[in-house]
Amino acid sequence: MADGLTMPASLEAEQSLLGCMIIDNDICVDVLESLDEIDFYQQSHKYILECMKEIYAERKPVDLVTLSDKMETKQYLDKCGGMEYLTEIASSIPTAANFRHYFDIVRRDSTNRALIRAAGEIQKNAMTVDDAESNIAAAEKLVYDISETRDTSTMKDIRTSGGVAEVMDKFQLIHNDKNALKGVMSGFSGLDRLTNGFQKGDLIVIAARPGMGKTSLSMNIVENAITGSQKAVCVVFSLEMPQIQILQRLVCSNAHVSMKKALAGELLPEDWKNLAKAQARLEECSLFIDDSSRMTPAEVLSKCRRIKASEKRLDLVMVDYIQLMTPGANYRLTENRSEEVGRITRELKIIAKELDVPILALSQLRRIEGNKEPQLSDLRESGAIEQDADIVMFINRPDVNLSAKELADSVASGAVVKDEAQLKIAKHRNGETGTVKLHFNGEFTQFVSAATSTEEDYASSKFSSAKSKSDAAPKNFDDDNTPF
């Protein structure tokens, strides 16, 4: 009570928020770390939250069974109205979709109660302490402490944040060890030289027409990341291809065994040995696959948060592919698909920053006439993909769309190299662009670095003109080659 007034609290919002967490564990991931017992007004709700946090810390699901068991162990269950009250809370929520509104109400009331308590302390000090300066200092501290616990602002003063010194330390670290801050390595030497690995917080888009090998290339990158020296923890969201097909590609690629022969039952004894070795290698790797056909950015964030919490790290996320995603139930329906895709790519970029992990997202291209090289303007359905992505790469395989005769003539004349793939980095926000030559081995659904893939490969490409100029002049990352 304060001056005869009831302290601000919404018991309905508290019940609803707790009920949402009981019926949907994804919500626990979203809000538990942002809640404290003091945020709840009713004592029984404080007990419930305390037990939820302990269950979550033990990596167990929060539901009626685990919650009632934990509360009974701590002798809280009878104090909170027993199993009947927990059931009532959980069953009173028709949907957990509105949990964010309940969370905001609970936090608002908690802040207001804290301000009322602080005002009482300030009033008491003003009436009993003669030193006005100390009273002002104490009042400022009380209010500032409340603001500090509720403030989610990321604005920082460079004079006091130490950010400039941090940048200098980073440069010094790289100067002393060129490999110190490498990102997740793709396993393709030319690509890794240009990007220094996929960096945390980056959204990397691989775009191509159907049949060019987007999924194969991205899965090769995932395979190299999880089996290489970094032993990366990776998550794959496959909206188009079921898990079994993803895994059979992965196994055959790692074993260097023909998937066609494996599916036709024509494997040789040596193939079986290689498959067994691949199985042993892959079963030691940290790879999570979700093949849900309908996926939203919110679900990607929630699932990745859980994996990062359980594995203590998350190194790479792959989404196959952007145009198959939906913005989510809370996004207003629109006939403008470009707006929807723009919303999705923006959310993916935010997720990459929030989780501090590179996200490798695949995208379709518009139909390209003839055998022209793809351009940024060919990104399908939304220019926002180009805007939000830190890196945009195109796969171009000149031999794919040629007839048998055209291919033979082009190979004979030297105009086309059979099975050659060109990985064109058309946008690189923090580095240079270029083209990396790869070789596609269809038998193993595998891309490999071309035999001639050296510095000269991309130094001689038309996109590396900026590179040759940069030897004589500082690189301007705001030019047309690396648009922001």
Side-chain angles (χ1 to χ4, degrees), residues 4 8 191 324 479:
L191 178 59
L324 290 180
D479 60 20

Side-chain angles (χ1 to χ4, degrees), residues 371-409:
N371 216 13
K372 291 167 53 180
E373 288 190 354
Q375 307 293 327
L376 287 169
S377 58
D378 296 320
L379 286 167
R380 186 174 175 183
E381 291 182 323
S382 179
I385 299 176
E386 174 189 349
Q387 175 182 317
D388 294 324
D390 296 279
I391 297 175
V392 178
M393 298 184 285
F394 298 121
I395 303 173
N396 186 36
R397 292 171 57 194
D399 64 331
V400 167
N401 295 322
L402 299 178
S403 66
K405 184 179 185 307
E406 289 174 333
L407 178 59
D409 293 342

Side-chain angles (χ1 to χ4, degrees), residues 221-276:
I221 291 172
V222 169
E223 176 191 348
N224 294 335
I226 63 176
T227 61
S229 58
Q230 292 179 306
K231 298 297 180 186
V233 177
C234 298
V235 181
V236 172
F237 293 96
S238 177
L239 285 80
E240 185 177 39
M241 193 177 296
Q243 176 179 313
I244 187 67
Q245 293 183 16
I246 291 284
L247 288 176
Q248 66 189 29
R249 285 187 179 212
L250 183 62
V251 170
C252 290
S253 172
N254 194 260
H256 288 263
V257 167
S258 168
M259 189 167 67
K260 180 181 178 181
K261 290 182 179 179
L263 295 175
E266 299 173 353
L267 294 176
L268 301 175
E270 188 63 28
D271 294 330
W272 284 109
K273 291 180 183 178
N274 292 334
L275 286 170

Side-chain angles (χ1 to χ4, degrees), residues 310-340:
S310 64
E311 297 294 312
K312 309 300 183 186
R313 58 183 281 208
L314 180 58
D315 300 302
L316 181 65
V317 176
M318 171 192 147
V319 177
D320 184 11
Y321 55 88
I322 292 173
Q323 283 80 8
L324 290 180
M325 296 188 74
T326 56
N330 293 331
Y331 182 64
R332 63 181 179 84
L333 294 176
T334 175
E335 294 182 2
N336 191 336
R337 179 58 179 162
S338 178
E339 287 183 18
E340 292 184 355

Side-chain angles (χ1 to χ4, degrees), residues 342-361:
R343 169 70 176 254
I344 291 166
T345 56
R346 182 60 186 152
E347 290 295 321
L348 289 177
K349 173 59 183 174
I350 292 172
I351 292 170
K353 288 182 64 180
E354 183 172 332
L355 294 176
D356 199 27
V357 62
I359 292 183
L360 183 63

Side-chain angles (χ1 to χ4, degrees), residues 58-350:
E58 295 167 359
R59 311 301 178 199
K60 295 178 182 177
V62 177
D63 55 32
L64 283 174
V65 176
T66 57
L67 184 57
S68 61
D69 180 68
K70 174 66 71 173
M71 293 184 71
E72 190 170 19
T73 301
K74 296 176 72 70
Q75 298 182 345
Y76 288 163
L77 192 57
D78 290 338
K79 297 177 183 178
C80 297
M83 187 66 178
E84 294 79 8
Y85 186 62
L86 296 182
T87 305
E88 179 186 339
I89 289 176
S91 60
S92 64
I93 307 299
T95 174
N98 297 323
F99 78 93
R100 183 60 64 184
H101 301 292
Y102 309 143
F103 174 83
D104 290 341
I105 294 171
V106 170
R107 289 279 285 178
R108 179 202 66 196
D109 290 344
S110 174
T111 300
N112 288 335
R113 290 196 300 272
L115 287 170
I116 291 170
R117 296 187 192 101
E121 285 291 317
I122 293 170
Q123 182 183 30
K124 178 182 176 182
N125 290 339
M127 296 178 67
T128 58
V129 179
D130 293 333
D131 187 349
E133 293 297 327
S134 66
N135 283 342
I136 292 173
E140 288 178 342
K141 185 178 187 307
L142 284 168
V143 176
Y144 178 78
D145 287 346
I146 296 171
S147 173
E148 190 73 5
T149 58
R150 296 299 189 264
D151 185 22
T152 58
S153 171
T154 57
M155 185 177 295
K156 297 178 181 177
D157 186 339
I158 66 169
R159 295 171 295 180
T160 58
S161 67
V164 176
E166 185 179 346
V167 170
M168 296 301 293
D169 290 342
K170 176 181 178 180
F171 290 163
Q172 184 64 50
L173 182 63
I174 296 173
H175 179 77
N176 295 336
D177 180 5
K178 299 294 190 296
N179 297 322
L181 296 178
K182 282 194 171 183
V184 177
M185 309 307 286
S186 70
F188 300 104
S189 55
L191 178 59
D192 290 333
R193 278 194 296 269
L194 282 171
T195 63
N196 197 34
F198 297 147
Q199 299 296 314
K200 295 179 178 179
D202 278 0
L203 175 61
I204 303 107
V205 172
I206 296 180
R209 290 290 301 154
M212 290 292 177
K214 296 187 299 296
T215 304
S216 297
L217 178 61
S218 58
M219 283 307 303
N220 291 159
I221 291 172
V222 169
E223 176 191 348
N224 294 335
I226 63 176
T227 61
S229 58
Q230 292 179 306
K231 298 297 180 186
V233 177
C234 298
V235 181
V236 172
F237 293 96
S238 177
L239 285 80
E240 185 177 39
M241 193 177 296
Q243 176 179 313
I244 187 67
Q245 293 183 16
I246 291 284
L247 288 176
Q248 66 189 29
R249 285 187 179 212
L250 183 62
V251 170
C252 290
S253 172
N254 194 260
H256 288 263
V257 167
S258 168
M259 189 167 67
K260 180 181 178 181
K261 290 182 179 179
L263 295 175
E266 299 173 353
L267 294 176
L268 301 175
E270 188 63 28
D271 294 330
W272 284 109
K273 291 180 183 178
N274 292 334
L275 286 170
K277 292 176 182 177
Q279 178 184 2
R281 283 192 295 267
L282 292 172
E283 287 180 345
E284 295 295 320
C285 295
S286 299
L287 175 62
F288 299 83
I289 300 174
D290 188 313
D291 60 359
S292 302
S293 297
R294 296 182 63 83
M295 184 66 60
T296 67
E299 290 172 317
V300 169
L301 175 59
S302 177
K303 292 176 180 181
C304 287
R305 273 179 178 163
R306 291 206 305 272
I307 292 171
K308 189 171 185 178
S310 64
E311 297 294 312
K312 309 300 183 186
R313 58 183 281 208
L314 180 58
D315 300 302
L316 181 65
V317 176
M318 171 192 147
V319 177
D320 184 11
Y321 55 88
I322 292 173
Q323 283 80 8
L324 290 180
M325 296 188 74
T326 56
N330 293 331
Y331 182 64
R332 63 181 179 84
L333 294 176
T334 175
E335 294 182 2
N336 191 336
R337 179 58 179 162
S338 178
E339 287 183 18
E340 292 184 355
V341 172
R343 169 70 176 254
I344 291 166
T345 56
R346 182 60 186 152
E347 290 295 321
L348 289 177
K349 173 59 183 174
I350 292 172

